[in-house]
Amino acid sequence: MDFKTTAETIPAAENIYSGIQEQTIELDYILPDYYPDIFRLVRCETVPVITGYSVIGDKLSYELRCDIRILYCGEGSRSLQSVEQHQTFSRTADIGKSCECPEITIIPKSDHINFRAVNKRRLDMRGAVSVKINVTGENMQEVISDAEGMNIQLRKTPVRFASQKLTAEKIVNISDDVSLSQTQPNADGIVNVRCRALECEKKTVSGKLLVKGDISVELLYSSNTGEGCAIEPLSFTLPYSQIVDFDGLDDSFTCKVTPEILTCEVSPTADDPHKIACEAEVRLICRAVKTSSVMLVTDAFSTVYPCDVAFSDINAEQIPVVCTENFTHTAVLAEGDSVPKTVYAVWCVPKNINSRLSDDGKSLVISGMLTYSMAAEDGSGAVIMPDRDEAFEKNILLPEISETPPANVQITVKDVSYNITSDGALTAQTEISAEITVTDCENIHVVTDIVINDAERKKRDGDYAVKLYFGTENEKIWDIAKRCSTSVSAIMEENELVGEKLQSGSMLLIPIVT
């Protein structure tokens, strides 16, 4: 008698590499002749950006750019001077193995900064940036989906999995001149720039993805008035609309677009100080996933012949589930005499975000730091830009899933408002959005091989067509059939059973199948 098996190739999710690399930053800068001497340092900040990456074999290479801005005041002046420098680094990570179509996540963050004036014309800065790298891939595994012949009995289960993944990227260049309002003074210099990409709209057209979105720009600029230097806030949005070529894409795929800001250059226009010129570069990271369903064999036996069954655990990756939770955080930034005379702006940057499952496994606990910064004027009229770190923790309920999943958390500050309370405290309230991407990888114990020994038959303890068996409550019909070398359908038909388990303990008639 012939015995045939049918196999399916299932992509199983595999974590290829996860690690953190550190990069030191050093700046020894001598001021050009047209800059005034350094009298008082105000602020230094670095913004790290990943400008590109590639994988060749088991090596991941990436380009890291650090944008450095140092603000200072000259002697006898309240005007802010801005020193801007850019440093680039090429780094390589050994990810351990090569894989086709890896999914790469690279997140840089500034760890610490120390800066000082060596003398009136020389600046020294030392800092560090850490880069978190995660690489996932697919491990193709062959499993049994069907078999026939030699009285084989199969237990099957339906499995949905991410059968196909597509990725595409596109760089978008955006530029525009923004006019200041009539009540705002002219811009002489840029003090601080914060740029973020807002959630975008998308539409699938055969082989292409239409993406439409905006970037939000918030900045502080300096204006030298007759009474000294004033700091003015300004915010605006720049729209973009792009067509991304996406070979193989159609309506059967679920798409996600992640916009990343690569550069955001802002400066007063040369011919009109009442306008701000903005040039931004945005990378659109597009991912598409298509799911399929298949019946896989999770156990097997023959009612007549001895057989060996090989098993393996696979992680059937599902379509990522994205949920968003909005919450607020309140912090006291200054009290009493430390409250500035004038506050120009307050902003907030999330740092060191961590996540863990709650003890009951039903929610995600997100924690980290919120760095509050302000541009203000103290009692002496000097411009100050202090920082204050505040810890936060938020418990967010996860969606219904089958297994404990890994979760990617993206924290975005949507808005910051501030006020001085009746008792003289400067407080800030931050509107925060937490985007949680849950990738459910269902772990399934499946059959990978069946070997039947047709040279001999199973030995029975007697010559009979029916035997008696006392089943216990919740006992699986499959386990009874396997133990007695008969079929599930025969037991259910003979005893008029419904369902995969016994509802109560009872005596069963077990027909013998040959």
Side-chain angles (χ1 to χ4, degrees):
M1 184 182 295
D2 292 334
F3 177 69
K4 297 180 180 179
T5 60
T6 302
E8 292 280 349
T9 301
I10 302 295
E14 181 182 17
N15 187 40
I16 304 296
Y17 176 82
S18 183
I20 296 176
Q21 289 189 333
E22 293 187 351
Q23 175 64 54
T24 58
I25 308 171
E26 298 182 357
L27 177 65
D28 188 358
Y29 185 78
I30 298 176
L31 295 177
D33 294 339
Y34 52 83
Y35 272 79
D37 289 348
I38 302 168
F39 177 72
R40 182 173 64 89
L41 294 176
V42 177
R43 184 178 179 84
C44 177
E45 59 185 11
T46 63
V47 179
V49 179
I50 301 298
T51 58
Y53 56 85
S54 63
V55 174
I56 300 177
D58 61 350
K59 304 293 183 183
L60 167 65
S61 300
Y62 63 92
E63 298 293 324
L64 170 67
R65 188 189 75 240
C66 294
D67 300 330
I68 304 169
R69 185 191 297 268
I70 300 177
L71 301 174
Y72 76 93
C73 289
E75 186 173 4
S77 173
R78 293 171 55 199
S79 299
L80 284 176
Q81 304 295 326
S82 177
V83 174
E84 297 180 33
Q85 292 290 295
H86 307 281
Q87 294 187 356
T88 59
F89 306 91
S90 297
R91 297 294 304 268
T92 300
D94 186 354
I95 61 177
K97 63 181 293 187
S98 60
C99 64
E100 294 185 5
C101 303
E103 188 170 315
I104 301 166
T105 303
I106 308 177
I107 303 175
K109 74 178 182 71
S110 178
D111 288 334
H112 65 269
I113 306 170
N114 295 309
F115 67 109
R116 64 189 180 98
V118 178
N119 54 48
K120 292 183 178 181
R121 306 294 304 170
R122 189 171 181 177
L123 291 165
D124 178 77
M125 190 274 289
R126 298 289 183 270
V129 168
S130 61
V131 180
K132 185 178 181 180
I133 304 170
N134 190 68
V135 181
T136 59
E138 292 181 346
N139 179 25
M140 307 303 291
Q141 189 162 0
E142 190 174 86
V143 295
I144 303 298
S145 61
D146 201 5
E148 59 180 349
M150 295 200 174
N151 299 86
I152 195 71
Q153 303 294 311
L154 304 175
R155 182 176 64 184
K156 296 183 179 181
T157 187
V159 177
R160 289 186 61 84
F161 62 96
S163 59
Q164 191 174 358
K165 295 181 181 179
L166 302 175
T167 60
E169 291 188 6
K170 187 169 186 178
I171 303 297
V172 181
N173 293 298
I174 310 170
S175 63
D176 197 6
D177 291 345
V178 179
S179 298
L180 303 176
S181 68
Q182 294 182 352
T183 59
Q184 289 179 303
N186 291 341
D188 295 308
I190 303 300
V191 175
N192 178 269
V193 178
R194 303 175 304 282
C195 184
R196 63 185 177 93
L198 304 180
E199 186 176 355
C200 55
E201 300 176 4
K202 54 190 179 295
K203 182 179 180 181
T204 301
V205 180
S206 181
K208 298 182 184 299
L209 188 66
L210 308 182
V211 182
K212 182 180 180 181
D214 298 276
I215 64 171
S216 171
V217 181
E218 297 180 349
L219 61 89
L220 299 174
Y221 70 87
S222 60
S223 179
N224 293 317
T225 64
E227 300 178 355
C229 178
I231 304 295
E232 291 287 332
L234 179 66
S235 62
F236 54 88
T237 59
L238 298 178
Y240 63 87
S241 181
Q242 291 291 312
I243 298 176
V244 182
D245 292 329
F246 223 140
D247 291 339
L249 183 68
D250 56 38
D251 292 334
S252 64
F253 286 83
T254 300
C255 299
K256 178 178 175 58
V257 179
T258 304
E260 293 182 351
I261 304 295
L262 297 181
T263 61
C264 187
E265 301 289 340
V266 179
S267 61
T269 57
D271 56 348
D272 187 353
H274 210 64
K275 287 185 178 180
I276 298 288
C278 181
E279 295 185 358
E281 191 176 47
V282 182
R283 176 168 55 212
L284 300 178
I285 302 175
C286 310
R287 295 187 173 97
V289 180
K290 182 179 182 179
T291 61
S292 297
S293 181
V294 67
M295 297 292 292
L296 296 184
V297 177
T298 58
D299 199 3
F301 68 93
S302 172
T303 61
V304 177
Y305 302 98
C307 68
D308 294 322
V309 180
F311 297 91
S312 180
D313 290 327
I314 64 169
N315 290 318
E317 185 176 347
Q318 311 297 305
I319 290 181
V321 177
V322 179
C323 59
T324 302
E325 181 85 8
N326 297 319
F327 60 96
T328 61
H329 181 269
T330 302
V332 177
L333 304 185
E335 296 180 276
D337 295 338
S338 62
V339 175
K341 181 178 71 173
T342 304
V343 178
Y344 299 115
V346 176
W347 63 96
C348 181
V349 177
K351 293 182 179 179
N352 303 328
I353 303 301
N354 298 298
S355 61
R356 61 177 177 84
L357 283 174
S358 60
D359 294 338
D360 59 8
K362 295 181 180 180
S363 60
L364 196 68
V365 181
I366 302 173
S367 60
M369 301 296 295
L370 295 174
T371 299
Y372 285 89
S373 305
M374 76 170 79
E377 185 179 301
D378 64 12
S380 66
V383 175
I384 57 173
M385 299 181 71
D387 295 329
R388 182 183 181 91
D389 289 333
E390 292 283 337
F392 80 96
E393 184 173 285
K394 180 66 176 177
N395 196 300
I396 298 176
L397 188 66
L398 289 173
E400 292 287 339
I401 47 179
S402 61
E403 299 288 342
T404 300
N408 179 48
V409 179
Q410 182 70 38
I411 297 294
T412 302
V413 173
K414 301 178 69 175
D415 186 47
V416 180
S417 59
Y418 62 92
N419 72 301
I420 298 178
T421 62
S422 58
D423 56 356
L426 174 62
T427 63
Q429 181 170 284
T430 304
E431 301 291 333
I432 300 172
S433 176
E435 182 184 272
I436 304 169
T437 303
V438 179
T439 303
D440 185 13
C441 293
E442 186 177 359
N443 185 271
I444 307 169
H445 195 62
V446 295
V447 173
T448 56
D449 193 21
I450 303 173
V451 178
I452 293 184
N453 181 10
D454 58 354
E456 60 177 298
R457 299 171 69 91
K458 286 184 175 180
K459 295 181 179 179
R460 300 191 181 276
D461 56 1
D463 187 14
Y464 47 83
V466 177
K467 67 181 297 185
L468 294 177
Y469 178 87
F470 188 81
T472 59
E473 184 179 359
N474 291 325
E475 189 173 3
K476 295 179 180 179
I477 308 300
W478 171 266
D479 293 338
I480 299 172
K482 187 176 182 179
R483 186 180 301 115
C484 298
S485 292
T486 188
S487 69
V488 171
S489 59
I491 295 176
M492 297 185 69
E493 290 175 6
E494 185 69 27
N495 297 276
E496 298 181 351
L497 299 176
V498 177
E500 298 180 351
K501 298 180 181 180
L502 296 179
Q503 299 297 317
S504 62
S506 60
M507 188 69 69
L508 301 177
L509 294 176
I510 308 297
I512 303 302
V513 177
T514 59

